[in-house]
Amino acid sequence: MLGNIVVISAPSGAGKTTICDAIIKSDKNILRSVSYTTREPRKGEKNSRDYFFVKETEFKQMLKSKKFVEFAKVHNNYYATSKDFLNKTLRSGKTILLEIDVQGALKIKKQYPQSCMIFIMTKNLKVLKQRLISRNKDSIETINMRIKNAKKEIQYLERYDYLVINANLEEVIDSVKTIIKSLKYKIIKN
Ligand code: 5GP
């Protein structure tokens, strides 16, 4: 039996990476899709663990050779999901977790309609802004841009299957785990 695709999207600052890390750690049958990106690595990020960091020329070459199942330009950088890794994981019967933006998520859903689409959000935009301010990583201009993007992303909520509000980290992790576990019982429709 083929594995499942789980897509997780969230506005910047909603806690997506922490949640995904916990999910991956909790179950060896869930594999994270490591994306390709043209953005520079941030402090502490490791090539091939967080992303495959590539130059734009290499990215475009890979795009031309149809190595990606989807790609998108987010905040002026390119991001893409490896087609090979996705197909291999599906064939192995494992679950692949894609932590990608809304544009990419919609492209995946179109190609793989059975994908489980999860949107993570804070209680409201005010809380999101507060989280971005308190993590102390971005300027106020960047924070305002992220909030503006979040407003755009929320408009696509109805294209997702689940909305999980990140109010309490343990609870949200449990909720996402429950959603993923339930996929085992899903009836596949052709
Ligand atoms: P960051 O640069 O902060 O790690 O990610 C910026 C945005 O790009 C996030 O919304 C993240 O989910 C998204 N992203 C990461 N990898 C991919 C990918 O392979 N495809 C798409 N479409 N978006 C991605």
Side-chain angles (χ1 to χ4, degrees):
M1 208 166 74
L2 285 184
N4 293 306
I5 300 177
V6 175
V7 174
I8 298 194
S9 305
S12 179
K16 178 180 49 170
T17 304
T18 314
I19 295 160
C20 290
D21 284 349
I23 302 290
I24 298 288
K25 255 198 198 154
S26 74
D27 187 338
K28 61 177 183 352
N29 287 317
I30 306 175
L31 305 184
R32 180 199 292 270
S33 158
V34 178
S35 298
Y36 285 79
T37 184
T38 59
R39 91 151 156 72
E40 290 296 317
R42 295 193 188 114
K43 218 176 139 205
E45 280 184 335
K46 245 176 87 180
N47 190 41
S48 85
R49 182 192 66 189
D50 299 293
Y51 282 105
F52 293 107
F53 295 98
V54 293
K55 295 275 167 258
E56 201 167 313
T57 44
E58 193 183 339
F59 187 96
K60 291 201 166 150
Q61 193 53 51
M62 291 180 80
L63 187 62
K64 222 168 128 189
S65 326
K66 305 207 177 331
K67 299 276 186 212
F68 303 136
V69 68
E70 65 76 33
F71 82 100
K73 198 173 186 184
V74 187
H75 310 139
N76 283 329
N77 291 300
Y78 289 102
Y79 295 84
T81 302
S82 159
K83 188 189 281 180
D84 208 31
F85 184 72
L86 183 126
N87 287 329
K88 260 192 208 149
T89 309
L90 291 184
R91 280 199 301 271
S92 74
K94 294 193 174 179
T95 295
I96 183 164
L97 182 69
L98 270 60
E99 193 188 329
I100 61 177
D101 88 315
V102 171
Q103 309 168 66
L106 298 183
K107 289 181 196 162
I108 293 289
K109 185 73 177 174
K110 201 164 174 195
Q111 295 174 71
Y112 302 89
Q114 74 278 23
S115 304
C116 168
M117 310 275 288
I118 306 175
F119 196 91
I120 294 173
M121 182 46 190
T122 51
K123 199 170 148 215
N124 53 42
L125 287 169
K126 206 171 146 199
V127 173
L128 185 68
K129 189 163 184 179
Q130 203 46 55
R131 280 176 66 106
L132 287 168
I133 292 169
S134 52
R135 79 179 185 181
N136 209 13
K137 267 198 341 204
D138 304 301
S139 66
I140 192 67
E141 289 78 20
T142 306
I143 290 173
N144 287 335
M145 186 188 80
R146 293 190 191 280
I147 294 294
K148 209 169 135 192
N149 282 341
K151 283 184 190 161
K152 274 194 215 150
E153 286 162 341
I154 292 167
Q155 288 174 6
Y156 291 92
L157 200 56
E158 62 180 34
R159 310 284 284 273
Y160 284 73
D161 302 307
Y162 299 92
L163 167 65
V164 184
I165 301 294
N166 183 8
N168 171 295
L169 189 60
E170 305 248 300
E171 273 176 29
V172 74
I173 291 168
D174 266 356
S175 306
V176 176
K177 277 188 198 166
T178 306
I179 295 169
I180 296 177
K181 275 195 193 129
S182 77
L183 298 177
K184 213 166 99 184
Y185 306 102
K186 199 166 172 198
I187 296 168
I188 308 292
K189 297 180 183 104
N190 293 313

